[in-house]
Amino acid sequence: MGRPLLNRRLDGLGTTIFAEMSALAAATGSINLGQGFPDTDGPDAVRELAVEALRGGYNQYAPGPGYPDLRQAIAEHRRRFYGQTFDPDTEVLVTTGATEAIAAALLALVEPGDEVVALEPFYDSYAACIAMAGGVRVGVPLRPPAFGLDVDALRAAITPRTRVLMINTPHNPTGAVLTRAELTAVAELAVAHDLLVITDEVYEHLVFEGEHIPLATLPGMRERTVTISSAGKTFSFTGWKIGWVCASPELVAAVRTTKQFLTYVSGGPFQPAVAAALRLPDAYFAEFTADMRTKRDILAAGLEAAGLTVYRPRGTYFVTTDITPLGFDDGLDFCRRLPELCGVVAVPEKVFFDDTEESQKIGRPLVRFAFCKRESVLTEAAERLATLR
Ligand SMILES: *Cc1c(COP(=O)(O)O)cnc(C)c1O
């Protein structure tokens, strides 16, 4: 065995930062604001439906594209919230979380050597999946304080080898929510260069200011966009790993081709429960957003009181901070020391940036804290962080 075991495409993609930081949280008994999962479950009635489904009728392979009623509920949800029409039979595909949707879409659409332009910092699975597909990642950095889209930088990143634009709004980790003007610029570039677009909209119901605009609703985008959602994020059942893709029949067929050889299907008993969740009244979604906005405000205030520079997010589960005012300059070093300093775990954002000097300079002082936790936990975290001063 003269050569490394891990194939060279995956060089540099060791363990995720979440594994390191969550292990650190467990070992030190710290409050884990690193990984983005809620510490309370979604609606009881939805959970009970999954229990019922487990008792009978849903314990074998689900149909390849997902149960028809769930696909119907997904289409109804798109129409209710965004006025979009998708045919549940040909334009909707249920996946193993948004994670599999991202992998299946990239593996289906990217040829070796194709360039995939993505917003930087990246959600960590993008880099891995682009690499597995043999693609070349090209980052377009979002910069503090506003983390707005630099349209000129996006235009400059597009070359004749560009195949896919990978968009994420609301954006993890920065909390940016792309505006209509920014999305229009993305759409115009995608149309002008005849690009495919994968848009990760798992935080579609977590926008605190402004509104979520699905990219596929913009002119010229419906036929070239793969839209990805997640029941984990929208209904606080991240362990169920139910996600979905909405796109044209041709794009769904392409994504289904790779998806069927990744997991084939998964999560059968959770699918009827997610269908019911998607049909919850508007009040559920409004309360969910309002509740998470309150949590954001608690954590943001705590981080400000602790002396960090806080970039108030307009969406997602996360607050991005700059640690420089506390006398630190490297987020990774800061996050490794934070448990011993005050019993809190966060994640450094520089690991979500490219290795280039320019990208690392932006990412180095940035640290992400998750606020999808009980208010008592956030208050306790804020008290601990206050001791940093
Ligand atoms: C959590 C997350 C995902 C993964 O969603 P799952 O449904 O848990 O697979 C994808 N993209 C972003 C930006 C996320 O934050």
Side-chain angles (χ1 to χ4, degrees), residues 228-241:
I228 295 174
S229 299
S230 165
K233 300 293 162 65
T234 294
F235 301 110
S236 304
F237 287 114
T238 58
W240 291 7
K241 294 297 288 187

Side-chain angles (χ1 to χ4, degrees), residues 14 18-19 23 77 112 114 119-120 132 137 146 207 212 215 219 232 241 243 248 270-271 304 339 363 368:
F18 302 107
H77 171 273
D114 282 349
L119 306 179
E120 220 187 324
M132 286 191 268
R137 192 179 79 224
V207 174
H212 173 65
L215 191 51
K241 294 297 288 187
S248 68
F270 303 123
Q271 293 193 22
E304 259 159 23
R368 187 192 87 171

Side-chain angles (χ1 to χ4, degrees), residues 96-99 102 123 126 168 172 200 202-203 230 233 238 241-242:
T96 307
T99 305
I102 292 161
Y123 180 64
Y126 301 174
N168 170 214
N172 173 6
D200 175 343
V202 301
Y203 297 104
S230 165
K233 300 293 162 65
T238 58
K241 294 297 288 187
I242 302 288

